[in-house]
Amino acid sequence: LQSGLTARLRQATFSSFCVSTANQTAFQMCQAYAERWPAPLGTSEGSGLLLWGIPGVGKTHLVAALANRILERGARVRFCNVTQWLNRLRDEMREEDPVEERMEDLGNADLLVLDDLGAQKSTAWALEKIYQVVNQRYEGLQPLVVTTNKNLNQLERGVGSRIFGRLLEICAPAEVKGEDWRMKIARERQLRATSDELTAVASCELRVSSEEQSERQRELRVTVSSVEFRV
Ligand SMILES: Nc1ncnc2c1ncn2[C@@H]1O[C@H](COP(=O)(O)OP(=O)(O)OP(=O)(O)O)[C@@H](O)[C@H]1O
Ligand SMILES: [Mg+2]
């Protein structure tokens, strides 16, 4: 079973995640989930997580860290970006590949991560496939971890109450707050570039003024020597 974790996501760990007051609840829930693995089965104890929050706050990072930790324990983990998974499924249908096997693949996973739910095109076909997967986890009491950049109301409107209701029943929701990390990095890079530019300008001006100074010293020497000459 392929985990589906990309090279970038395999690098995501809990220790490379900067914890702040804005994200510490979600961080702790993910870390505790990984530590407690295998997840307690049964809906009342919650066998899954639902991380939601605006883009760039670290939802994918956290669930990838969780998936990596659980993979290390030898569990069969399947990490799916929902949009990519649906696109692949659609392509395979065209090729007359056995789609059911693909679906079973997800069903066989000890842990299924559905990353970025709600970002897909919500066609009737797409929603039916998502429903099948979520319902399979729900009925089988199988661990499921989901992320979305919608808030809970938007998610319910986006995927419908059949999917949303099941998700909420088996997944403990946690909002990941904080600032968009991608914007923060871009701003810091911009700041560094600006400060490099300022340093360059400053040293250039310093050079110019020292040139001016030596020019003035030369003039002074000329004046001094002409004075001496007159004396
Ligand atoms: N608290 C953090 N500490 C370290 N790196 C972080 C943190 N938050 C985000 N990042 C990094 O910022 C980038 C964006 O984070 P991530 O992809 O997890 O965001 P997201 O919430 O899933 O966004 P989206 O909703 O767009 O999918 C990643 O490279 C991630 O490693
Ligand atoms: Mg993400």
Short mmCIF file of all heavy atoms in Angstrom, two decimals, residues 8-9 12-13 16-20 23 53-63 81 115-116 147-150 176 179-182 185, ligand 1:
data_model
loop_
_atom_site.label_atom_id
_atom_site.label_comp_id
_atom_site.label_asym_id
_atom_site.label_seq_id
_atom_site.Cartn_x
_atom_site.Cartn_y
_atom_site.Cartn_z
N ARG A 8 7.74 16.07 0.06
CA ARG A 8 7.65 17.23 0.96
C ARG A 8 6.91 16.85 2.26
O ARG A 8 7.33 17.22 3.36
CB ARG A 8 6.91 18.37 0.26
CG ARG A 8 7.13 19.74 0.86
CD ARG A 8 6.47 20.79 0.00
NE ARG A 8 5.03 20.69 0.07
CZ ARG A 8 4.31 21.22 1.04
NH1 ARG A 8 4.90 21.88 2.01
NH2 ARG A 8 3.00 21.11 1.04
N LEU A 9 5.84 16.09 2.10
CA LEU A 9 5.05 15.75 3.28
C LEU A 9 5.73 14.71 4.17
O LEU A 9 5.49 14.67 5.37
CB LEU A 9 3.66 15.25 2.86
CG LEU A 9 2.79 16.31 2.19
CD1 LEU A 9 1.44 15.74 1.80
CD2 LEU A 9 2.61 17.52 3.10
N ALA A 12 7.53 16.38 6.95
CA ALA A 12 6.78 17.10 8.00
C ALA A 12 6.80 16.32 9.31
O ALA A 12 6.47 15.13 9.34
CB ALA A 12 5.35 17.33 7.53
N THR A 13 7.22 16.98 10.36
CA THR A 13 7.23 16.34 11.68
C THR A 13 6.62 17.30 12.70
O THR A 13 6.43 18.48 12.41
CB THR A 13 8.68 16.03 12.16
OG1 THR A 13 9.39 17.26 12.22
CG2 THR A 13 9.38 15.06 11.22
N SER A 16 9.25 19.96 13.67
CA SER A 16 9.51 21.07 12.75
C SER A 16 8.32 22.03 12.67
O SER A 16 8.28 22.92 11.83
CB SER A 16 9.86 20.55 11.35
OG SER A 16 8.76 19.85 10.79
N PHE A 17 7.36 21.85 13.57
CA PHE A 17 6.17 22.71 13.59
C PHE A 17 6.31 23.73 14.73
O PHE A 17 6.57 23.35 15.87
CB PHE A 17 4.92 21.85 13.79
CG PHE A 17 3.63 22.60 13.60
CD1 PHE A 17 3.11 22.81 12.33
CD2 PHE A 17 2.94 23.10 14.70
CE1 PHE A 17 1.92 23.50 12.15
CE2 PHE A 17 1.74 23.80 14.52
CZ PHE A 17 1.23 24.00 13.25
N CYS A 18 6.19 25.01 14.42
CA CYS A 18 6.29 26.05 15.45
C CYS A 18 4.95 26.17 16.16
O CYS A 18 3.95 26.54 15.54
CB CYS A 18 6.65 27.40 14.84
SG CYS A 18 8.23 27.38 14.04
N VAL A 19 4.95 25.88 17.44
CA VAL A 19 3.71 25.90 18.21
C VAL A 19 3.48 27.30 18.78
O VAL A 19 4.41 27.92 19.31
CB VAL A 19 3.76 24.86 19.35
CG1 VAL A 19 2.42 24.80 20.08
CG2 VAL A 19 4.11 23.49 18.81
N SER A 20 2.27 27.80 18.63
CA SER A 20 1.90 29.10 19.20
C SER A 20 0.56 28.94 19.91
O SER A 20 -0.06 27.88 19.82
CB SER A 20 1.74 30.13 18.07
OG SER A 20 0.62 29.80 17.29
N ASN A 23 -2.23 27.79 17.53
CA ASN A 23 -2.35 26.44 16.94
C ASN A 23 -2.11 25.30 17.94
O ASN A 23 -2.11 24.14 17.56
CB ASN A 23 -1.42 26.31 15.73
CG ASN A 23 0.04 26.50 16.08
OD1 ASN A 23 0.46 26.17 17.17
ND2 ASN A 23 0.82 27.03 15.14
N GLY A 53 -9.48 25.42 9.07
CA GLY A 53 -8.85 26.72 9.24
C GLY A 53 -8.48 27.31 7.90
O GLY A 53 -8.47 26.60 6.89
N ILE A 54 -8.14 28.59 7.93
CA ILE A 54 -7.83 29.30 6.69
C ILE A 54 -6.56 28.71 6.05
O ILE A 54 -5.80 28.02 6.74
CB ILE A 54 -7.63 30.82 6.94
CG1 ILE A 54 -6.49 31.06 7.95
CG2 ILE A 54 -8.93 31.47 7.42
CD1 ILE A 54 -5.97 32.48 7.96
N PRO A 55 -6.32 28.98 4.77
CA PRO A 55 -5.13 28.42 4.10
C PRO A 55 -3.81 28.85 4.75
O PRO A 55 -3.70 29.97 5.26
CB PRO A 55 -5.23 28.99 2.68
CG PRO A 55 -6.68 29.24 2.48
CD PRO A 55 -7.21 29.67 3.81
N GLY A 56 -2.86 27.94 4.77
CA GLY A 56 -1.49 28.26 5.17
C GLY A 56 -1.21 28.21 6.66
O GLY A 56 -0.11 28.55 7.09
N VAL A 57 -2.17 27.76 7.47
CA VAL A 57 -1.95 27.76 8.92
C VAL A 57 -1.30 26.47 9.43
O VAL A 57 -1.02 26.34 10.62
CB VAL A 57 -3.25 28.05 9.73
CG1 VAL A 57 -3.64 29.51 9.61
CG2 VAL A 57 -4.38 27.13 9.28
N GLY A 58 -1.08 25.51 8.53
CA GLY A 58 -0.35 24.31 8.93
C GLY A 58 -1.18 23.05 9.11
O GLY A 58 -0.71 22.08 9.71
N LYS A 59 -2.37 23.02 8.54
CA LYS A 59 -3.23 21.84 8.70
C LYS A 59 -2.61 20.60 8.04
O LYS A 59 -2.52 19.54 8.66
CB LYS A 59 -4.62 22.11 8.06
CG LYS A 59 -5.35 23.29 8.64
CD LYS A 59 -6.68 23.54 7.96
CE LYS A 59 -6.57 23.90 6.50
NZ LYS A 59 -5.93 25.22 6.26
N THR A 60 -2.15 20.77 6.80
CA THR A 60 -1.55 19.63 6.10
C THR A 60 -0.27 19.19 6.80
O THR A 60 0.00 18.00 6.93
CB THR A 60 -1.29 20.00 4.62
OG1 THR A 60 -2.55 20.32 4.02
CG2 THR A 60 -0.68 18.85 3.85
N HIS A 61 0.52 20.18 7.25
CA HIS A 61 1.76 19.86 7.98
C HIS A 61 1.44 18.98 9.20
O HIS A 61 2.07 17.94 9.41
CB HIS A 61 2.44 21.17 8.41
CG HIS A 61 3.77 20.96 9.05
ND1 HIS A 61 4.90 21.65 8.67
CD2 HIS A 61 4.18 20.14 10.05
CE1 HIS A 61 5.93 21.26 9.40
NE2 HIS A 61 5.51 20.35 10.26
N LEU A 62 0.43 19.37 9.96
CA LEU A 62 0.10 18.63 11.17
C LEU A 62 -0.38 17.21 10.88
O LEU A 62 0.07 16.25 11.53
CB LEU A 62 -0.98 19.38 11.98
CG LEU A 62 -0.49 20.57 12.79
CD1 LEU A 62 -1.67 21.29 13.44
CD2 LEU A 62 0.50 20.13 13.86
N VAL A 63 -1.24 17.07 9.89
CA VAL A 63 -1.75 15.71 9.62
C VAL A 63 -0.69 14.85 8.93
O VAL A 63 -0.68 13.63 9.08
CB VAL A 63 -3.09 15.69 8.84
CG1 VAL A 63 -4.20 16.29 9.68
CG2 VAL A 63 -3.00 16.38 7.51
N ASN A 81 -4.89 13.64 -1.06
CA ASN A 81 -5.42 14.96 -1.35
C ASN A 81 -6.72 14.72 -2.12
O ASN A 81 -6.70 14.05 -3.16
CB ASN A 81 -4.40 15.74 -2.19
CG ASN A 81 -4.97 17.05 -2.66
OD1 ASN A 81 -5.76 17.09 -3.61
ND2 ASN A 81 -4.59 18.11 -2.00
N ASP A 115 -7.03 14.99 2.81
CA ASP A 115 -6.52 16.35 2.93
C ASP A 115 -7.26 17.27 1.98
O ASP A 115 -7.49 16.93 0.83
CB ASP A 115 -5.01 16.34 2.61
CG ASP A 115 -4.34 17.65 2.97
OD1 ASP A 115 -4.74 18.27 3.98
OD2 ASP A 115 -3.41 18.07 2.24
N ASP A 116 -7.62 18.44 2.51
CA ASP A 116 -8.24 19.48 1.68
C ASP A 116 -9.62 19.12 1.15
O ASP A 116 -9.93 19.33 -0.02
CB ASP A 116 -7.31 19.84 0.51
CG ASP A 116 -7.09 21.34 0.46
OD1 ASP A 116 -7.77 22.06 1.21
OD2 ASP A 116 -6.24 21.78 -0.32
N THR A 147 -8.79 17.28 6.69
CA THR A 147 -8.53 18.72 6.81
C THR A 147 -9.38 19.45 5.78
O THR A 147 -9.73 18.90 4.74
CB THR A 147 -7.06 19.12 6.53
OG1 THR A 147 -6.84 19.16 5.11
CG2 THR A 147 -6.05 18.19 7.18
N THR A 148 -9.70 20.69 6.10
CA THR A 148 -10.45 21.54 5.17
C THR A 148 -10.11 23.00 5.43
O THR A 148 -9.83 23.37 6.58
CB THR A 148 -11.97 21.33 5.31
OG1 THR A 148 -12.64 22.19 4.39
CG2 THR A 148 -12.48 21.63 6.71
N ASN A 149 -10.10 23.81 4.36
CA ASN A 149 -9.91 25.24 4.63
C ASN A 149 -11.23 26.00 4.64
O ASN A 149 -11.26 27.23 4.59
CB ASN A 149 -8.88 25.88 3.69
CG ASN A 149 -9.26 25.76 2.24
OD1 ASN A 149 -10.44 25.68 1.91
ND2 ASN A 149 -8.28 25.73 1.37
N LYS A 150 -12.31 25.25 4.77
CA LYS A 150 -13.63 25.86 4.96
C LYS A 150 -13.91 25.89 6.46
O LYS A 150 -13.33 25.10 7.21
CB LYS A 150 -14.70 25.01 4.29
CG LYS A 150 -14.42 24.65 2.85
CD LYS A 150 -14.87 25.75 1.93
CE LYS A 150 -14.66 25.41 0.47
NZ LYS A 150 -13.69 26.25 -0.19
N VAL A 176 -7.55 25.22 13.40
CA VAL A 176 -6.14 25.63 13.42
C VAL A 176 -6.14 27.12 13.11
O VAL A 176 -6.55 27.54 12.04
CB VAL A 176 -5.30 24.88 12.36
CG1 VAL A 176 -3.81 25.18 12.55
CG2 VAL A 176 -5.54 23.39 12.42
N GLU A 179 -1.51 32.78 11.62
CA GLU A 179 -1.37 33.51 10.36
C GLU A 179 -0.93 32.57 9.25
O GLU A 179 -0.41 31.49 9.50
CB GLU A 179 -0.40 34.68 10.51
CG GLU A 179 1.01 34.26 10.86
CD GLU A 179 1.96 35.44 10.84
OE1 GLU A 179 1.82 36.33 9.98
OE2 GLU A 179 2.87 35.47 11.68
N ASP A 180 -1.20 33.01 8.03
CA ASP A 180 -0.83 32.24 6.85
C ASP A 180 0.69 32.15 6.78
O ASP A 180 1.37 33.14 6.55
CB ASP A 180 -1.42 32.95 5.62
CG ASP A 180 -1.14 32.19 4.33
OD1 ASP A 180 -0.20 31.37 4.30
OD2 ASP A 180 -1.86 32.43 3.35
N TRP A 181 1.22 30.95 7.01
CA TRP A 181 2.66 30.73 7.10
C TRP A 181 3.36 31.06 5.78
O TRP A 181 4.48 31.56 5.76
CB TRP A 181 2.92 29.27 7.48
CG TRP A 181 4.29 29.04 8.03
CD1 TRP A 181 5.39 28.64 7.33
CD2 TRP A 181 4.72 29.19 9.39
NE1 TRP A 181 6.47 28.53 8.16
CE2 TRP A 181 6.09 28.86 9.43
CE3 TRP A 181 4.07 29.58 10.58
CZ2 TRP A 181 6.84 28.89 10.61
CZ3 TRP A 181 4.82 29.61 11.74
CH2 TRP A 181 6.17 29.28 11.75
N ARG A 182 2.68 30.78 4.68
CA ARG A 182 3.29 31.05 3.36
C ARG A 182 3.49 32.56 3.19
O ARG A 182 4.52 33.00 2.70
CB ARG A 182 2.40 30.51 2.24
CG ARG A 182 2.21 29.00 2.30
CD ARG A 182 1.40 28.50 1.11
NE ARG A 182 1.07 27.10 1.26
CZ ARG A 182 -0.16 26.65 1.54
NH1 ARG A 182 -1.16 27.50 1.67
NH2 ARG A 182 -0.38 25.36 1.66
N ILE A 185 6.39 33.76 5.40
CA ILE A 185 7.70 33.46 4.80
C ILE A 185 8.00 34.44 3.66
O ILE A 185 9.10 34.96 3.57
CB ILE A 185 7.74 31.99 4.32
CG1 ILE A 185 7.84 31.08 5.54
CG2 ILE A 185 8.91 31.73 3.37
CD1 ILE A 185 7.79 29.61 5.28
N1 LIG B 1 3.43 26.49 12.69
C1 LIG B 1 4.21 26.13 11.66
N2 LIG B 1 5.50 25.78 11.86
C2 LIG B 1 6.30 25.44 10.83
N3 LIG B 1 5.90 25.41 9.54
C3 LIG B 1 4.63 25.73 9.27
C4 LIG B 1 3.72 26.10 10.29
N4 LIG B 1 2.53 26.37 9.74
C5 LIG B 1 2.69 26.17 8.43
N5 LIG B 1 3.94 25.79 8.14
C6 LIG B 1 4.50 25.54 6.80
O1 LIG B 1 3.83 26.42 5.92
C7 LIG B 1 3.49 25.79 4.70
C8 LIG B 1 1.97 25.77 4.55
O2 LIG B 1 1.39 24.93 5.57
P1 LIG B 1 0.27 23.85 5.23
O3 LIG B 1 0.42 23.38 3.82
O4 LIG B 1 0.29 22.84 6.30
O5 LIG B 1 -1.02 24.79 5.34
P2 LIG B 1 -2.55 24.40 5.23
O6 LIG B 1 -3.21 24.90 6.44
O7 LIG B 1 -2.67 22.96 4.90
O8 LIG B 1 -3.00 25.30 3.98
P3 LIG B 1 -4.11 24.98 2.86
O9 LIG B 1 -5.45 25.25 3.50
O10 LIG B 1 -3.80 25.99 1.78
O11 LIG B 1 -3.95 23.58 2.41
C9 LIG B 1 4.10 24.41 4.76
O12 LIG B 1 5.37 24.44 4.15
C10 LIG B 1 4.23 24.14 6.26
O13 LIG B 1 5.29 23.25 6.54
#
